[in-house]
Structure formats: C-alpha cells, structure tokens
Amino acid sequence: MAYGTAHAGGRGRGRRAATWAAALGGCALVAASTAPAAAHGSGRTTDYTALGDSYTSGPLIPRQVDANCARSDRNYPSLVAATLPGVVFKDVSCAGATTEHMWKAQGTNGPQLDAVRRDTDLVTVQIGGNDVGFGSIIATCAQVAAQDPAGDPCRQHYGADGVDELTVAIARTAPEVARVLRAVHARAPHARVLVVGYPDLLPDDGSGCAPTVPFATGDFPYLRDTGRRLNLMLQLVARWNGAEYVDTYGPTVGHDMCKAPGDRWIEPLRPASPAAPAHPNAKGEEAMAGAVLDRLRTGRGHH
C-alpha cells in the first residue's frame, strides 16, 4: 500500500462516489457476508491465486522472492497455501499495486488477473489502499503535524473544502474494486473469492504515540476512522459482488504500530523489524493468514 498515490476517479462516477461518501461518512455499519462457506473435499487439488498490493506481498519480510514486487515467501498467501492439501499456488501480489494493475503490468509482474483461470478454486484479493493513496496520506499527515501537534492539521488539510477528500477517495475506489471482483468471477466462475481487508494500523481507542508515529494528537482518531471506512467499503463491495470479506482489522487490534516492538504486528515509520514502514511485519502477515484460514474453515469472518 505504502508506495501508491491517490487514484483519480474516472469521469461519470461522481454520483456513485457521492452515494458511497454518504454511506461511509455516517456511523459504523456492520455488513455480514452472505456468501456460502463451500469447502473442497479432501483428496483433490486446490488451485489458489493471490492478488493484491504490498500488504499482501510483504515487503522486506525475509525471505524476499521477487525484488520487482517486494514479495515475501512468508506473506499471508504463502502461509495460507502451506495449509491447503495438494495446492497449486500462484502469488502475483505486488507492492504499489492499484486496481488498475489487475489489468496492467508492473515491471516484470504481468497483469494480476492473468493468473486467474477457469479452473481456479480460490482467489484472495487485497486491493484499494493505493487507489485511495494511503502512502501519500501518511506522508502528508506526518509533514503537517508540526503545524499543530495537539490538534488535527491533517484532518483539516483533507477537509479544507468542507468535504473530506479521503472519504470521497474511498467512495471513488468502490466501483473499481467491484470491477475487479466481476472480472475475477468472469475468469473463474466457480472460484471462492475472498476480499481481504486491511489490519489495524493505529490504536483502536484513538490514542496517539508521537513521536514514534509522528502525527498530531487529533489526527490519530481521524486516520483510524479513515482506515475503518476503507474496510467498510471493501466489506460492502464484497457482499454486493458475490465475494466473502475477511476482517483483518479486528484480529490485529492491540498490535498496531504504536505498540512496543515485541507486541506490534504493524511497523511504524521507522521499522524495528524487517518490514516496510506502516506495513505488517512477519507476525502481522501471520495474523492475516489466520483470519483468512478462519474464514476458509468456518465460513465465519471476524465482524
């Protein structure tokens, strides 16, 4: 996620974005996935394809197996695949990926959707953070924090025109994620499709931890809420497009980047463990793998 910039919505999406912004700007909403929890019988091969951005690929986590995409063999798809019997596994996740890269190559990584075929049984997809521009958002919020360390200069920056730009960006990303899911279903009509949400980056109670994470005090709850809105959007889009949602936020609460090195699963802007800044470390990838496996085994995600 961290390497991307905000993705501009296409022309003609204004009304849809406004509708999403209204839905996302209100109180928290819990939308339970209604997709079936079909399980593969023992003794057959499971063809599993993982799509996603840097939260999926696992930048800097040993062992890196694809320098172009900063992909680790200890990322959550690899850990999930290791538990599946007779798995045929393809991981095409790539750091910096946006929804556009489902159809467009990134360096030596071809269009991610090319890895999804008619005989694919399982697809996990974690995308949208770079479309919203979380990398540039984090950088901006850290930069403006000095203007009002006890206030919320980042929230004011993104709401200067009276409308929260980040809520709008999330709303504009919704139809792009939906388009990805429709394409996955078209290519693999029998596959079980799991949309994987993003983990808890900042304290769930809204508290701060400057200077470890250099944001202004009032911007910690603002950015926490922005992350929740992104996950809410992904949950709703999954539900409305025949996919299941995997909540990785709930299982990672209490292990955000403000916690001590031994307790955190998300590294701060100056990582102490091998991981990209503001990204899951090895324990974070293990936690996300656990959430995916829970969904696969029981059909019940963390809501």
Side-chain angles (χ1 to χ4, degrees):
M1 193 194 298
Y3 309 117
T5 55
H7 180 68
R11 295 176 61 184
R13 298 182 189 133
R15 282 182 293 180
R16 280 180 293 177
T19 300
W20 273 100
L24 293 166
C27 61
L29 174 64
V30 176
S33 172
T34 58
H40 296 298
S42 59
R44 63 155 292 178
T45 297
T46 299
D47 193 316
Y48 168 32
T49 298
L51 315 176
D53 56 25
S54 54
Y55 272 60
T56 309
S57 67
L60 304 183
I61 296 173
R63 178 175 61 108
Q64 293 286 292
V65 293
D66 186 319
N68 177 73
C69 285
R71 189 185 304 135
S72 170
D73 64 359
R74 298 294 297 173
N75 61 12
Y76 76 79
S78 298
L79 299 177
V80 169
T83 73
L84 301 178
V87 68
V88 176
F89 176 49
K90 290 174 285 187
D91 183 359
V92 292
S93 61
C94 199
T98 67
T99 52
E100 181 180 353
H101 293 110
M102 300 297 109
W103 291 270
K104 179 182 177 182
Q106 280 179 278
T108 57
N109 204 53
Q112 292 193 29
L113 282 168
D114 286 359
V116 180
R117 303 185 183 277
R118 192 164 187 82
D119 58 354
T120 300
D121 299 300
L122 171 66
V123 177
T124 56
V125 54
Q126 186 178 43
I127 203 72
N130 287 326
D131 295 69
V132 174
F134 256 35
S136 61
I137 292 165
I138 288 173
T140 297
C141 291
Q143 182 178 9
V144 301
Q147 298 175 7
D148 185 6
D152 56 356
C154 190
R155 185 189 66 81
Q156 294 184 43
H157 171 82
Y158 285 110
D161 295 331
V163 177
D164 183 58
E165 293 180 23
L166 303 189
T167 299
V168 173
I170 292 169
R172 285 176 172 164
T173 301
E176 303 304 322
V177 176
R179 180 172 169 243
V180 171
L181 296 181
R182 290 194 298 270
V184 169
H185 287 309
R187 290 168 182 254
H190 306 295
R192 189 172 178 184
V193 182
L194 273 59
V195 175
V196 181
Y198 291 96
D200 180 19
L201 304 187
L202 298 169
D204 187 60
D205 64 3
S207 61
C209 63
T212 300
V213 178
F215 300 149
T217 301
D219 285 329
F220 280 88
Y222 169 66
L223 292 172
R224 174 206 59 194
D225 290 346
T226 299
R228 286 176 173 176
R229 287 190 181 98
L230 173 60
N231 278 329
L232 173 59
M233 178 272 284
L234 294 174
Q235 186 176 11
L236 293 174
V237 170
R239 182 183 183 187
W240 295 341
N241 288 276
E244 300 172 65
Y245 177 71
V246 178
D247 174 23
T248 67
Y249 184 98
T252 55
V253 167
H255 300 280
D256 54 81
M257 68 175 87
C258 281
K259 298 302 182 286
D263 296 326
R264 64 180 174 234
W265 298 346
I266 309 296
E267 290 300 312
L269 304 192
R270 293 184 177 180
S273 296
H279 276 67
N281 55 31
K283 290 180 179 179
E285 292 290 335
E286 289 172 8
M288 290 195 290
V292 172
L293 288 169
D294 179 69
R295 186 73 187 187
L296 288 173
R297 290 167 178 162
T298 68
R300 299 174 184 174
H302 304 272
H303 295 288

